[in-house]
Amino acid sequence: MSDDSQQAGWPRQTMLGRLHGQALTEICAAGTRVDIASGRLAFRQGGWSRHLLVLLSGSVKVVALTEGGYEALLAVRVGGEIIDEMAAVDGEPRSATVIACGAVSARRIEPPELHRIGKLHPEIDAEIHRTFSQRLRWANRQRIDLRAYDAPTRVGRILVWLAEMHGTPSPLGLELGFPLRQGELASMAGVALPTAEKALLGLDQQGLISRGYRQLVIRDLPGLRKVSQMTDQIPY
């Protein structure tokens, strides 16, 4: 991770956490700055705007609404990541709604500006493609997990992914750093809410996690990986 990235606190697995030097400076100054209040929408599913956002600080939830009215939490994005890059590239409608979990600061970049800085700094273009690849791997892993593992195991695997991607060290373990409802966790794992609640209770009783109001702390990540049948690092 670059010194600038370390100073800003961006995780090394995010795009800004991997960039350095002039490329990092360029993308952090590109476009226009936007500040989004907690609970406000950054993007709305079905919208036709084409800009992307580079998150400088804060976190957002990516949710999708089905035709039947079911709302699913697809992902969480944190400072250092880009969001809704697909619409900026393919020009199709937004595939999900993005909601600020708390106060968010970001850079709004339109496609022509993105193209300009990508040509000027090829490493930026490479990191955007790397982000595409990571998210495709995540989607593939989700489809595999739905068939390969039972519901409680899937809940544990989602918690491992969230902790390794977004966890912040604390005296108790790894704090996720954003509010997470049990229903949202259930939707990510593809399980019913009562099943997610039962799985969380079991993990809590084993001392692997601790729970508060809309907040989870991973107390024993190696132990959680073991019960979730994850013997190696997440491959995305």
Side-chain angles (χ1 to χ4, degrees), residues 114-126:
L114 184 65
H115 179 69
R116 182 191 69 80
I117 62 176
K119 288 186 66 177
L120 189 62
H121 299 285
E123 58 267 48
I124 292 176
D125 206 32

Side-chain angles (χ1 to χ4, degrees), residues 209-229:
I209 68 170
S210 61
R211 298 177 292 166
Y213 176 66
R214 298 182 66 186
Q215 185 67 46
L216 280 168
V217 177
I218 310 303
R219 304 193 67 173
D220 180 359
L221 184 58
L224 182 59
R225 291 183 62 84
K226 184 175 180 180
V227 301
S228 303
Q229 302 180 46

Side-chain angles (χ1 to χ4, degrees), residues 10-24:
W10 294 310
R12 64 179 179 83
Q13 58 266 49
T14 64
M15 187 179 77
L16 296 187
R18 292 190 296 258
L19 288 173
H20 56 87
Q22 191 58 38
L24 178 63

Side-chain angles (χ1 to χ4, degrees), residues 30-44:
T32 57
R33 178 178 173 125
V34 293
D35 295 301
I36 307 168
S38 180
R40 299 296 298 270
L41 302 188
F43 298 117
R44 186 181 298 277

Side-chain angles (χ1 to χ4, degrees), residues 120-190:
L120 189 62
H121 299 285
E123 58 267 48
I124 292 176
D125 206 32
E127 284 299 337
I128 291 173
H129 283 87
R130 182 173 179 175
T131 297
F132 274 123
S133 178
Q134 287 179 320
R135 293 175 183 176
L136 178 58
R137 283 178 179 269
W138 160 250
N140 288 342
R141 175 55 57 185
Q142 284 291 83
R143 287 195 290 269
I144 293 169
D145 285 0
L146 282 172
R147 291 183 175 272
Y149 301 101
D150 60 23
T153 301
R154 296 202 304 272
V155 171
R157 292 172 74 88
I158 290 293
L159 290 177
V160 170
W161 177 76
L162 290 173
E164 293 194 343
M165 286 294 293
H166 310 304
T168 302
S170 76
L172 292 179
L174 287 173
E175 295 183 357
L176 295 187
F178 50 84
L180 182 68
R181 297 193 298 267
Q182 292 184 354
E184 293 172 332
L185 178 61
S187 71
M188 289 191 79

